[in-house]
Amino acid sequence: MIKDYRILFILALAGFVLLGASLFKAFDQDFTKHQKNYYKQLDVEDYTVEIKQVNVKTPGKVLIDRCQSCHIGASNPDAAGFEPPLAAHPPIVPGVEKDPHDFAKIGCVVCHDGSGRDLDIHAAHGELHGWPAPLLKGEIAQANCVRCHAMEDGTLAGAEHYVKGQELFLEKACWGCHTIAGISSSSQAPELTDAGGKFSFDYLVESMVDPSANIANSKMPTFGWVHDEETVAAIATYLKGQQKDRLRSADSAPIGYIKPKSDLARIDSPSVAAGRSLFAGAPYEGSVAKGGCVNCHAIRNSDGDLAGGNIGPELTWTIRSRGSKYVKEHIVNSRSHVADSIMPTFKDYNDAELESLVSYLSTLDYKLGSKTDGPKLYDTYCVSCHGEDLNGEGKIAAMLDPLPRDFSKYQFVASYDKRFKDSIRDGVKGTAMPAWKDIMSDQQIETLVGFIKDKSLSGHDGFRRMEVTLPAIGDKERQDYRNKGLVVEAGNPEDGHEAFQKFCTSCHGKLANGKGPNAYDLEHPLPRNLINAAFMNQAAVNDARLYESILLGVAGTPMPAHDHLSDQTILDIIAFIRANTTEEAK
Amino acid sequence: MNELIEMAKEFGTKLYYSFFRHRLDNTGLTKSKIMFSNVLLHIQPVKIHKRSVKFKTTMGLGLITFYLFLILSVTGILLMFHYVPSTAIGPDGLPDAYSRMLNLRSNVFWGGFLRNMHRWAAHGMVAFVALHMLRVYLAGAHRGGREFNWVIGCILGLLTVFLSYTGYLLPWDQLAFWGVKVGTEIAKIAPGGALIRGILLGDTDVGSEALIRFYVLHVAVLPAVMGFLIAVHFFRIRKDGGLAKPADTSKEKQIPDEEFGEVKNNSVFKSARSYKLVEIVKGKEPKVNEEVDQMMFAWPKLIVRELIVLLGVVAFLSLISVLFDAPLEGPADPNHPTNPSKAPWYFLGLQELVSYHGFIGGIVIPGILAAGVMVLPYIEIFFESFTKTYRKNIPGVWFAKERNLENALFIGMYLFMLSLIIIGVYFRGQNWDTIYPWVHEVTGGGH
């Protein structure tokens, strides 16, 4: 029994000690220690340790701000040399006698975010998991300047980091895809007008450095500059500053609140120099740059040195292969030529700006000599899309749709001889493959085809593809092979639709856009987009080719043979596909 | 002077006897009176079987659960002084309910500790309910006239889970919102679940109405029902003769009599132990057999041991609450689901099952388990009656050989649920993909 009393006594003691510990924890707060230290350093004898709270009243809300309980020396110049958190805040506005920001009135949270009412360092700095506004340290805090201030003439003293981010947003062509109200309008990618209100700084950085980190199927390219921390930090600061929910309105902004200039200075007479500036995303004669093609597209100078982004096709030969009309249309609406292009629509460009770009691109004249051998030709013209191993996985291939042809599938190379050369000479409409006839001579094309064939077919025995011909309608000799005795009739799109839903949609999708459920498991090349009108309506894609591809499959691709279908069914499917694209063309 | 002391003594005595109706000495009479003349009699009898105070008998699991309920009531009432069940956006730009959580963390003295106590006690209570149930089953204490008390216990268990679940929403942070959202989405799968969900939420989705309803359920309705059922639960144990025990306990090793404290015999019958005859229960003849020797005064041994458990629970909870803060994430945002979104841990086994098949995993299996466990003693009786395989039921004995099959099945069910919960808590990452906790950080809730 005595033992029980002892246990009871010990537990009672332990309980009191632990309750005491909880009280001690409630009393023992960091700010007490910091304030004592602060007054000791200042040699102040007579002081009270207290919570310093600022209630920042704004039209919308009240920011509770107790940061200066620890950061007690923030506005005391005598504390300039103290260790953090006691040190004085460095000047915000450079070159003024007395900084206009009074921390006793505006507190800290206004600029630095975090959780103002918390006194525990981790909670206050917003480090706990899931806190929507983690602390913004140092230069990053400039993101919040625009919560109160307007940007007069696009600049604000002391917000250099933010201004740099704004310039980079234009220079790096972010504006091409992302909308920020008043700056750009594009529906390609998520709108960023409230980016800072929705996302934390770290999230914004992460989304730039690794676009698929947060959204697994993000289409955003990984740009070459993402390894430059300074650039990324500046852009992220600018984006963090994009908040719909501002603390001040036009009436109460501390510095005149001028609406952002929506009509920026524009280029009004075309010139090569203006085109070059637009291409590079640099300002041109006072106009704020709104270009930046170079972020995605590379070009070659006359010595053949390549420079630029690895996201879109190289533009050295574009004017020669596509013509200036095509290029202009493509800038304004790329989908008018290539149905699945990811290139943003730059519909805001005026004629002079388009003309400038085209004239700049026309100055690119790099060309290989007529005696060039196959490997050199391939490495110059083809490698960026079709890849060093001829496997269609060149460095820009990932962003192209349809994907570049994979020549390592020798069955394909062996099967289509004429079509192969024609595609190089005349290009393939509706895809990124241009016509090379104005750049390469027939001789060079022969050399190139020879090179690819040698490399692709070496080590393989030959491959021979069956030959089939398109059944002629009403031909008594050529009867439908499954329903023997029936004469094939002209294809009926409605029957074709039914057959398509039955046999084709798993890969080509219900919309026939090549995005069926099974397409996601397939690898290079992916199912054809059958409503890509430009592709479907070119001369090379005739009914005979469609018939052959459906019946026998396409060599070296996931498209299987469909010899279980009757001729009539195949003709119906072709009629359905055709009906789709003529509809589209209208 | 002496007179004054006498008067003071008299006053003191009167004062004492106005509070208590017994002396404080070692006589059997006093020991009886301490129980009999105090409110203690409502909880404990005057005399208890010796094995009741042995740790092995119950491990104190039911008692711990009850203490956690008391602690939750006390801390809960204190927290109610600081809480508003409102999602309205306050002047600080945050929902009121969430803002109150921040206040508890930062402004309210001792508020963080209170919240920690409440949170960890709530999780603890769910866990101890489960352990208590396991103990009762493995010791065969659900049979022998106690079948209906088992059913009440099961209802209490479900109430505990539901109380914990309704409380889970109240902080109105991301963890709360999405944890509750997941749970209510599972309810949709059940036939009629959408209606029940609608009644519970008061809306088509978790929102301000749901917060108020969950709050009222959490602070008023459920605790009241629970308090009443606890009373019934305890009452029936008393009427069933205390803790379940085998008919013959004379062979069991017991705590020696000396340990129960000395009992001075002040009876006029010096040779006889007259107090033995106190034990008269209606419907049973006075106990004069061997068992009477096994009965001991509840005071002080039992009461002290119960206090030990209480202090142990308080001390342990205080320690946990000083060391670990209750989680609080960003304010609830219906537009930004956390990935993964995990329900509280006791529902994660369910969520894991749902990830395999909505209806079978979310409704059929847990439904069969919950209903089956509740009527388990009756299922046993049914089989025994209809197959005439009467087994000798030995209540109060751990792992009785006669019950090996039942015990193995019951333990198997516990292990099944436990492994599902462990998988759900530690091995599920974004998009419910399998992760390994030693490779990836475990996020998404569950606690």
PDB file of all heavy atoms in Angstrom, chain B residues 221-237:
ATOM      1  N   VAL B 221     -24.384  18.143 -28.319  1.00  0.00           N
ATOM      2  CA  VAL B 221     -25.168  16.929 -28.550  1.00  0.00           C
ATOM      3  C   VAL B 221     -24.374  15.674 -28.200  1.00  0.00           C
ATOM      4  O   VAL B 221     -24.789  14.876 -27.342  1.00  0.00           O
ATOM      5  CB  VAL B 221     -25.631  16.877 -30.021  1.00  0.00           C
ATOM      6  CG1 VAL B 221     -26.441  15.628 -30.267  1.00  0.00           C
ATOM      7  CG2 VAL B 221     -26.432  18.129 -30.353  1.00  0.00           C
ATOM      8  N   LEU B 222     -23.244  15.514 -28.862  1.00  0.00           N
ATOM      9  CA  LEU B 222     -22.505  14.262 -28.681  1.00  0.00           C
ATOM     10  C   LEU B 222     -21.992  14.068 -27.250  1.00  0.00           C
ATOM     11  O   LEU B 222     -22.127  12.971 -26.703  1.00  0.00           O
ATOM     12  CB  LEU B 222     -21.367  14.182 -29.708  1.00  0.00           C
ATOM     13  CG  LEU B 222     -21.840  14.096 -31.156  1.00  0.00           C
ATOM     14  CD1 LEU B 222     -20.667  14.155 -32.111  1.00  0.00           C
ATOM     15  CD2 LEU B 222     -22.620  12.820 -31.388  1.00  0.00           C
ATOM     16  N   PRO B 223     -21.422  15.101 -26.610  1.00  0.00           N
ATOM     17  CA  PRO B 223     -20.968  14.878 -25.232  1.00  0.00           C
ATOM     18  C   PRO B 223     -22.108  14.511 -24.296  1.00  0.00           C
ATOM     19  O   PRO B 223     -21.924  13.686 -23.393  1.00  0.00           O
ATOM     20  CB  PRO B 223     -20.365  16.230 -24.833  1.00  0.00           C
ATOM     21  CG  PRO B 223     -20.038  16.898 -26.103  1.00  0.00           C
ATOM     22  CD  PRO B 223     -21.065  16.440 -27.088  1.00  0.00           C
ATOM     23  N   ALA B 224     -23.303  15.105 -24.520  1.00  0.00           N
ATOM     24  CA  ALA B 224     -24.436  14.778 -23.654  1.00  0.00           C
ATOM     25  C   ALA B 224     -24.823  13.319 -23.821  1.00  0.00           C
ATOM     26  O   ALA B 224     -24.969  12.579 -22.834  1.00  0.00           O
ATOM     27  CB  ALA B 224     -25.617  15.696 -23.991  1.00  0.00           C
ATOM     28  N   VAL B 225     -24.969  12.897 -25.083  1.00  0.00           N
ATOM     29  CA  VAL B 225     -25.304  11.496 -25.346  1.00  0.00           C
ATOM     30  C   VAL B 225     -24.229  10.601 -24.764  1.00  0.00           C
ATOM     31  O   VAL B 225     -24.504   9.575 -24.123  1.00  0.00           O
ATOM     32  CB  VAL B 225     -25.430  11.264 -26.878  1.00  0.00           C
ATOM     33  CG1 VAL B 225     -25.688   9.798 -27.160  1.00  0.00           C
ATOM     34  CG2 VAL B 225     -26.550  12.115 -27.441  1.00  0.00           C
ATOM     35  N   MET B 226     -23.004  11.007 -24.956  1.00  0.00           N
ATOM     36  CA  MET B 226     -21.884  10.195 -24.494  1.00  0.00           C
ATOM     37  C   MET B 226     -21.900  10.073 -22.975  1.00  0.00           C
ATOM     38  O   MET B 226     -21.726   8.970 -22.437  1.00  0.00           O
ATOM     39  CB  MET B 226     -20.588  10.878 -24.930  1.00  0.00           C
ATOM     40  CG  MET B 226     -19.381  10.053 -24.673  1.00  0.00           C
ATOM     41  SD  MET B 226     -18.408  10.043 -26.156  1.00  0.00           S
ATOM     42  CE  MET B 226     -17.159   8.916 -25.691  1.00  0.00           C
ATOM     43  N   GLY B 227     -22.116  11.192 -22.278  1.00  0.00           N
ATOM     44  CA  GLY B 227     -22.155  11.167 -20.818  1.00  0.00           C
ATOM     45  C   GLY B 227     -23.224  10.208 -20.331  1.00  0.00           C
ATOM     46  O   GLY B 227     -22.988   9.392 -19.427  1.00  0.00           O
ATOM     47  N   PHE B 228     -24.390  10.284 -20.960  1.00  0.00           N
ATOM     48  CA  PHE B 228     -25.492   9.405 -20.557  1.00  0.00           C
ATOM     49  C   PHE B 228     -25.103   7.938 -20.771  1.00  0.00           C
ATOM     50  O   PHE B 228     -25.279   7.094 -19.880  1.00  0.00           O
ATOM     51  CB  PHE B 228     -26.735   9.760 -21.371  1.00  0.00           C
ATOM     52  CG  PHE B 228     -27.873   8.810 -21.151  1.00  0.00           C
ATOM     53  CD1 PHE B 228     -28.573   8.813 -19.949  1.00  0.00           C
ATOM     54  CD2 PHE B 228     -28.248   7.891 -22.128  1.00  0.00           C
ATOM     55  CE1 PHE B 228     -29.610   7.934 -19.737  1.00  0.00           C
ATOM     56  CE2 PHE B 228     -29.287   7.016 -21.920  1.00  0.00           C
ATOM     57  CZ  PHE B 228     -29.971   7.028 -20.719  1.00  0.00           C
ATOM     58  N   LEU B 229     -24.564   7.634 -21.939  1.00  0.00           N
ATOM     59  CA  LEU B 229     -24.225   6.239 -22.230  1.00  0.00           C
ATOM     60  C   LEU B 229     -23.085   5.743 -21.346  1.00  0.00           C
ATOM     61  O   LEU B 229     -23.042   4.567 -20.988  1.00  0.00           O
ATOM     62  CB  LEU B 229     -23.859   6.096 -23.719  1.00  0.00           C
ATOM     63  CG  LEU B 229     -25.059   6.120 -24.665  1.00  0.00           C
ATOM     64  CD1 LEU B 229     -24.602   5.938 -26.091  1.00  0.00           C
ATOM     65  CD2 LEU B 229     -26.060   5.033 -24.298  1.00  0.00           C
ATOM     66  N   ILE B 230     -22.181   6.644 -20.985  1.00  0.00           N
ATOM     67  CA  ILE B 230     -21.108   6.225 -20.070  1.00  0.00           C
ATOM     68  C   ILE B 230     -21.721   5.806 -18.744  1.00  0.00           C
ATOM     69  O   ILE B 230     -21.351   4.777 -18.163  1.00  0.00           O
ATOM     70  CB  ILE B 230     -20.097   7.381 -19.861  1.00  0.00           C
ATOM     71  CG1 ILE B 230     -19.247   7.555 -21.122  1.00  0.00           C
ATOM     72  CG2 ILE B 230     -19.187   7.088 -18.678  1.00  0.00           C
ATOM     73  CD1 ILE B 230     -18.299   8.725 -21.048  1.00  0.00           C
ATOM     74  N   ALA B 231     -22.711   6.593 -18.290  1.00  0.00           N
ATOM     75  CA  ALA B 231     -23.380   6.253 -17.029  1.00  0.00           C
ATOM     76  C   ALA B 231     -24.014   4.867 -17.129  1.00  0.00           C
ATOM     77  O   ALA B 231     -23.865   4.030 -16.234  1.00  0.00           O
ATOM     78  CB  ALA B 231     -24.434   7.304 -16.691  1.00  0.00           C
ATOM     79  N   VAL B 232     -24.726   4.627 -18.250  1.00  0.00           N
ATOM     80  CA  VAL B 232     -25.354   3.315 -18.434  1.00  0.00           C
ATOM     81  C   VAL B 232     -24.297   2.214 -18.450  1.00  0.00           C
ATOM     82  O   VAL B 232     -24.446   1.168 -17.818  1.00  0.00           O
ATOM     83  CB  VAL B 232     -26.169   3.311 -19.751  1.00  0.00           C
ATOM     84  CG1 VAL B 232     -26.736   1.925 -20.008  1.00  0.00           C
ATOM     85  CG2 VAL B 232     -27.281   4.338 -19.680  1.00  0.00           C
ATOM     86  N   HIS B 233     -23.215   2.481 -19.179  1.00  0.00           N
ATOM     87  CA  HIS B 233     -22.109   1.523 -19.321  1.00  0.00           C
ATOM     88  C   HIS B 233     -21.569   1.145 -17.944  1.00  0.00           C
ATOM     89  O   HIS B 233     -21.409  -0.043 -17.641  1.00  0.00           O
ATOM     90  CB  HIS B 233     -21.025   2.199 -20.163  1.00  0.00           C
ATOM     91  CG  HIS B 233     -20.035   1.261 -20.791  1.00  0.00           C
ATOM     92  ND1 HIS B 233     -20.381   0.268 -21.677  1.00  0.00           N
ATOM     93  CD2 HIS B 233     -18.683   1.192 -20.675  1.00  0.00           C
ATOM     94  CE1 HIS B 233     -19.298  -0.370 -22.081  1.00  0.00           C
ATOM     95  NE2 HIS B 233     -18.247   0.173 -21.478  1.00  0.00           N
ATOM     96  N   PHE B 234     -21.312   2.140 -17.113  1.00  0.00           N
ATOM     97  CA  PHE B 234     -20.750   1.892 -15.778  1.00  0.00           C
ATOM     98  C   PHE B 234     -21.770   1.190 -14.882  1.00  0.00           C
ATOM     99  O   PHE B 234     -21.441   0.262 -14.141  1.00  0.00           O
ATOM    100  CB  PHE B 234     -20.323   3.209 -15.123  1.00  0.00           C
ATOM    101  CG  PHE B 234     -19.050   3.772 -15.703  1.00  0.00           C
ATOM    102  CD1 PHE B 234     -18.453   3.201 -16.812  1.00  0.00           C
ATOM    103  CD2 PHE B 234     -18.432   4.870 -15.121  1.00  0.00           C
ATOM    104  CE1 PHE B 234     -17.281   3.711 -17.342  1.00  0.00           C
ATOM    105  CE2 PHE B 234     -17.256   5.386 -15.648  1.00  0.00           C
ATOM    106  CZ  PHE B 234     -16.687   4.810 -16.753  1.00  0.00           C
ATOM    107  N   PHE B 235     -23.018   1.669 -14.975  1.00  0.00           N
ATOM    108  CA  PHE B 235     -24.064   1.107 -14.135  1.00  0.00           C
ATOM    109  C   PHE B 235     -24.203  -0.388 -14.383  1.00  0.00           C
ATOM    110  O   PHE B 235     -24.305  -1.189 -13.457  1.00  0.00           O
ATOM    111  CB  PHE B 235     -25.379   1.833 -14.438  1.00  0.00           C
ATOM    112  CG  PHE B 235     -26.543   1.333 -13.651  1.00  0.00           C
ATOM    113  CD1 PHE B 235     -26.746   1.744 -12.344  1.00  0.00           C
ATOM    114  CD2 PHE B 235     -27.455   0.438 -14.208  1.00  0.00           C
ATOM    115  CE1 PHE B 235     -27.818   1.285 -11.613  1.00  0.00           C
ATOM    116  CE2 PHE B 235     -28.529  -0.020 -13.475  1.00  0.00           C
ATOM    117  CZ  PHE B 235     -28.717   0.401 -12.182  1.00  0.00           C
ATOM    118  N   ARG B 236     -24.199  -0.760 -15.641  1.00  0.00           N
ATOM    119  CA  ARG B 236     -24.381  -2.170 -15.974  1.00  0.00           C
ATOM    120  C   ARG B 236     -23.203  -3.013 -15.483  1.00  0.00           C
ATOM    121  O   ARG B 236     -23.387  -4.177 -15.108  1.00  0.00           O
ATOM    122  CB  ARG B 236     -24.569  -2.353 -17.471  1.00  0.00           C
ATOM    123  CG  ARG B 236     -25.906  -1.822 -17.960  1.00  0.00           C
ATOM    124  CD  ARG B 236     -26.119  -2.146 -19.410  1.00  0.00           C
ATOM    125  NE  ARG B 236     -26.509  -3.521 -19.596  1.00  0.00           N
ATOM    126  CZ  ARG B 236     -27.769  -3.930 -19.803  1.00  0.00           C
ATOM    127  NH1 ARG B 236     -28.736  -3.044 -19.844  1.00  0.00           N
ATOM    128  NH2 ARG B 236     -28.048  -5.196 -19.960  1.00  0.00           N
ATOM    129  N   ILE B 237     -22.014  -2.434 -15.497  1.00  0.00           N
ATOM    130  CA  ILE B 237     -20.861  -3.189 -14.985  1.00  0.00           C
ATOM    131  C   ILE B 237     -21.080  -3.480 -13.498  1.00  0.00           C
ATOM    132  O   ILE B 237     -20.900  -4.597 -13.025  1.00  0.00           O
ATOM    133  CB  ILE B 237     -19.551  -2.394 -15.192  1.00  0.00           C
ATOM    134  CG1 ILE B 237     -19.288  -2.180 -16.682  1.00  0.00           C
ATOM    135  CG2 ILE B 237     -18.377  -3.140 -14.570  1.00  0.00           C
ATOM    136  CD1 ILE B 237     -18.132  -1.261 -16.976  1.00  0.00           C
TER     137      ILE B 237
END
